[in-house]
Amino acid sequence: MKKLVHALILTSLVGMPTFAMAAEESPHSLSANVGMFSDYVFRGISQTGGDPAVQGGLDYSHSSGFYLGTWGSNVGWIEDFQGYDSGNVEIDVYGGFRGDIGQTGLTFDVGAIQYMYPGKKAGAVDADTTEIYAALGWKWFTAKYSYAVSDEVFGFANADGSDYLDISASVPIGETGLTAGAHWGTFSFENNSAQDYDDWKVSLAYDVGALSKVMDGVTVGVAYTDTDADRAVWTDANNEFLGKDTTTVWISKAF
């Protein structure tokens, strides 16, 4: 039976003091997030083999639209699927530009991301992956295209040129504090077509901060994901099919 996360203890943070300087707001901002998930599912594929994950990130943004960030999580597939002797962490570093497109109501986001999986490869194909991406948003809808520029793509060799298309929606439900989400994606692996698959997700998240200011930034949620991935290709050494339908619960905190 899949392990479920039942609680997350969030400690209070002491914020850095701010000083008024000519009543002008700083163009720089920092934000952070931390969360616990019953399963880490990325593009429809479980990264932890159905086990829980602890995740967190730190982001810098400038009023010009420039941003930089880093994010991390525990993973299981590096050893159980990829064949590394050791390695159970994912660290991402990303940056780009985002903003509005005139008065159209459209937004854009362009950038690059490096997925890193430290560990002892023991002859296995390198799992580290570099992608560039571009996204277009309108109200609650977003379309994002990611293109791999590294030779290896999540452990598959000679796969530069692989791409992933993500179409998603995130719709607030009135003043309830609930947000409904839906997603469809398709992953195409260059020179590794047996790995190609589509994935989809529906989710519901609740802003706990709507109940109390003490819980400001806390979100709980549930998501159901599924794929049409080939079981023979996406099963790990523990006989766990990483692309199977999965229900995930989580709790997170944004600072």
Side-chain angles (χ1 to χ4, degrees):
M1 182 175 181
K2 200 178 293 296
K3 299 178 183 177
L4 296 179
V5 175
H6 297 291
L8 173 65
I9 301 175
L10 298 171
T11 59
S12 61
L13 297 182
V14 178
M16 294 179 63
T18 57
F19 302 91
M21 297 293 290
E24 185 173 324
E25 187 175 336
S26 171
H28 310 282
S29 64
L30 285 174
S31 61
N33 61 86
V34 62
M36 292 186 69
F37 296 73
S38 62
D39 192 356
Y40 170 21
V41 180
F42 173 67
R43 297 178 179 173
I45 301 297
S46 175
Q47 308 294 292
T48 50
D51 291 335
V54 178
Q55 305 175 347
L58 179 66
D59 292 274
Y60 161 81
S61 61
H62 188 270
S63 58
S64 64
F66 172 74
Y67 64 90
L68 285 172
T70 185
W71 181 90
S73 176
N74 61 291
V75 296
W77 70 276
I78 297 301
E79 294 181 4
D80 298 339
F81 181 77
Q82 192 57 26
Y84 277 37
D85 274 353
S86 63
N88 55 17
V89 175
E90 172 186 337
I91 301 172
D92 304 340
V93 178
Y94 49 86
F97 290 89
R98 57 191 170 209
D100 300 321
I101 302 176
Q103 303 300 315
T104 63
L106 295 170
T107 60
F108 73 91
D109 183 359
V110 294
I113 182 168
Q114 175 70 36
Y115 301 90
M116 295 177 289
Y117 303 93
K120 187 176 180 181
K121 290 185 288 187
V125 176
D126 193 352
D128 292 358
T129 302
T130 307
E131 290 183 340
I132 56 176
Y133 56 83
L136 190 65
W138 181 75
K139 292 188 177 180
W140 306 300
F141 306 96
T142 304
K144 181 178 180 180
Y145 178 74
S146 301
Y147 183 87
V149 294
S150 53
D151 290 336
E152 295 81 22
V153 177
F154 300 112
F156 298 110
N158 303 315
D160 55 306
S162 299
D163 58 6
Y164 184 77
L165 176 63
D166 174 351
I167 299 175
S168 60
S170 183
V171 183
I173 303 175
E175 302 298 325
T176 64
L178 292 168
T179 299
H183 151 86
W184 172 83
T186 183
F187 210 151
S188 297
F189 289 85
E190 190 73 13
N191 299 318
N192 294 267
S193 60
Q195 282 76 27
D196 293 356
Y197 67 89
D198 295 349
D199 71 281
W200 47 92
K201 176 173 70 173
V202 291
S203 63
L204 189 65
Y206 180 66
D207 178 8
V208 183
L211 291 176
S212 169
K213 289 296 183 181
V214 177
M215 302 297 287
D216 188 39
V218 177
T219 301
V220 295
V222 58
Y224 174 80
T225 60
D226 199 2
T227 76
D228 64 359
D230 187 339
R231 179 181 291 269
V233 173
W234 290 100
T235 297
D236 68 15
N238 297 320
N239 201 34
E240 181 78 20
F241 175 37
L242 303 179
K244 68 182 180 182
D245 61 309
T246 303
T247 299
T248 305
V249 296
W250 76 86
I251 181 169
S252 63
K253 166 72 173 177
F255 303 93

